Amino acid sequence: MRKPVTLITGANGEIGHGLIEHFGRAGGHELVALDLKPLDERLRSHCTAWLDGDILDQNLLQRLVSEYEIHAIYHLAALLSTRSEYTPDTAHRVNVEGTLNLLMLAHQQASWHGHHVKFLFPSSVAVYGLPDLETKRRAGRVREIDYNEPTTMYGCNKLYCEQLGRYFALHFRQLAVERTPSGVDFRSIRFPGLISAVTLPAGGTSDYASEMIHAAAQGKPYACFVRDSARIPFMAMPDAIKALVLLADAPPERLTRRVYNVTSFSPSAGEIRDRVLKAFPRATITFETHAARAAIVDSWPEDVDDTPARRDWNWSPDFGADRTFDEYLVPTISKFYKADGKCRK
Ligand code: SER
């Protein structure tokens, strides 16, 4: 008998850490973790198994299904937005072909065991593309259907994979003589920039917020690559995990869409600096704009409208700006660096 499990790809990443720790505490899930690198030792006790390997490796995926019966997939593996600009073809392979591989695997699994496979997919504010700052200011809180014209490879990849997921959930093989549903219950969240107290992001563009506070806590100077007036939405990692879990648990009949915005607070980079300086008064934070990376941030909305998530699955963030800094980031990060002098990667 194969074991029923929840598969988490990109398990070593920022969301992976938060999610595996959450499931570890909550119990009730047999987790199989997949990542390019060996799983962080701190996460291993929460997992039934872990594999290091590539989501593009079909042999590895087939090995997985020969051993496990997969009932839910949190497909977190991706190349983030800055890194994707340096290697757009690799980004397309990992972000799009990798997602297609996992969607097909979910479909095969559902056909075998006869139950839906829940497929949770983190999308991003990077799917939006605002043409200029004046439009961005006027647009304010954008809805899911607004300004879907991303400027980055990563944004294009995420937007297309949202559509792929919708196709699997609603229109799979629509011309087959005996049409059967794919069995993939695709659900996606467009996350704002995420800030974690215990991991640092790698290769993203919203990373300046995390980098600023982690640098300050270690007494290192930080030069921020966007203007101090740059503004996009952010969220503390515990709220991102809460959103994923709430959406995964929502009864299907409550869901009016497959893709949902969520958000918490929308500080400018200057306001983030002020909060970091309040907590770490000796920090040195300067602004040295990298024009191209700053332009990516300028193309993302300053806020998003998350009304459908609030209405359909009772979404609301626990951490506003004050609580994020005062109760989550500052105490956890301070303790963290005092404890071992370095941050988990
Ligand atoms: N935060 C991510 C990035 O900056 C976007 O989802 O790439």
Side-chain angles (χ1 to χ4, degrees):
M1 276 293 281
R2 296 178 309 158
K3 293 189 205 109
V5 297
T6 295
L7 173 65
I8 300 181
T9 72
N12 271 328
E14 290 220 281
I15 302 179
H17 269 86
L19 193 65
I20 291 174
E21 275 166 4
H22 166 83
F23 283 143
R25 276 194 306 272
H29 285 259
E30 296 288 330
L31 303 178
V32 172
L34 175 61
D35 199 282
L36 273 179
K37 296 194 193 123
L39 188 67
D40 184 340
E41 285 182 10
R42 290 175 245 218
L43 300 176
R44 293 184 182 181
S45 62
H46 302 312
C47 296
T48 308
W50 54 92
L51 288 91
D52 27 307
D54 195 328
I55 53 170
L56 297 174
D57 179 351
Q58 287 290 0
N59 290 335
L60 175 87
L61 296 182
Q62 289 314 310
R63 228 176 73 213
L64 253 182
V65 300
S66 70
E67 253 183 90
Y68 301 102
E69 196 177 275
I70 298 168
H71 286 254
I73 298 176
Y74 291 76
H75 175 41
L76 313 177
L79 282 193
L80 293 185
S81 56
T82 292
R83 194 165 284 172
S84 292
E85 287 310 301
Y86 291 114
T87 53
D89 50 344
T90 306
H92 190 277
R93 273 196 296 281
V94 173
N95 295 347
V96 176
E97 291 173 31
T99 301
L100 181 62
N101 287 350
L102 269 301
L103 284 165
M104 283 307 293
L105 184 142
H107 161 60
Q108 286 163 7
Q109 287 292 294
S111 318
W112 278 107
H113 57 58
H115 303 282
H116 278 101
V117 173
K118 273 189 192 160
F119 195 103
L120 274 292
F121 181 69
S123 186
S124 163
V125 289
V127 302
Y128 297 108
L130 284 299
D132 52 64
L133 283 174
E134 175 50 24
T135 310
K136 172 166 168 159
R137 199 192 50 73
R138 263 191 292 111
R141 285 157 53 85
V142 302
R143 294 171 304 167
E144 283 86 351
I145 53 167
D146 297 330
Y147 299 104
N148 288 177
E149 293 189 340
T151 69
T152 62
M153 187 59 166
Y154 173 81
C156 294
N157 296 163
K158 286 289 183 188
L159 187 58
Y160 173 62
C161 287
E162 292 177 356
Q163 299 296 324
L164 261 185
R166 232 187 78 240
Y167 167 77
F168 270 75
L170 302 176
H171 305 293
F172 188 68
R173 288 187 181 148
Q174 57 196 290
L175 296 184
V177 176
E178 286 191 28
R179 195 173 154 198
T180 47
S182 73
V184 181
D185 182 358
F186 178 86
R187 305 175 179 201
S188 177
I189 294 179
R190 285 185 187 163
F191 282 116
L194 299 179
I195 316 178
S196 164
V198 292
T199 48
L200 264 168
T205 313
S206 61
D207 296 3
Y208 59 88
S210 303
E211 287 170 357
M212 212 184 271
I213 181 162
H214 281 263
Q218 294 171 89
K220 294 183 185 161
Y222 183 69
C224 180
F225 57 83
V226 299
R227 291 182 318 281
D228 61 353
S229 58
R231 189 184 297 277
I232 55 168
F234 281 96
M235 179 178 285
M237 189 57 75
D239 271 335
I241 304 307
K242 173 183 170 179
L244 273 173
V245 171
L246 274 178
L247 178 58
D249 290 346
E253 63 277 9
R254 292 283 308 272
L255 303 183
T256 57
R257 44 190 319 121
R258 295 278 158 184
V259 178
Y260 289 89
N261 280 341
V262 293
T263 190
S264 182
F265 56 101
S266 274
S268 68
E271 287 162 4
I272 299 173
R273 175 206 47 201
D274 294 346
R275 284 184 182 272
V276 173
L277 283 176
K278 203 174 120 214
F280 303 99
R282 289 147 57 120
T284 309
I285 299 165
T286 52
F287 287 88
E288 290 173 25
T289 310
H290 181 294
R293 288 186 89 190
I296 291 176
V297 170
D298 286 344
S299 78
W300 295 348
E302 62 177 37
D303 202 357
V304 297
D305 180 353
D306 58 4
T307 305
R310 289 174 181 266
R311 180 193 60 216
D312 290 0
W313 39 278
N314 300 327
W315 158 249
S316 69
D318 291 334
F319 292 85
D322 287 345
R323 220 179 143 208
T324 294
F325 279 85
D326 301 344
E327 291 181 36
Y328 171 61
L329 290 175
V330 173
T332 318
I333 289 183
S334 309
K335 208 160 74 200
F336 195 73
Y337 287 110
K338 268 190 206 119
D340 66 1
K342 64 178 176 20
C343 184
R344 287 181 242 190
K345 249 321 192 62

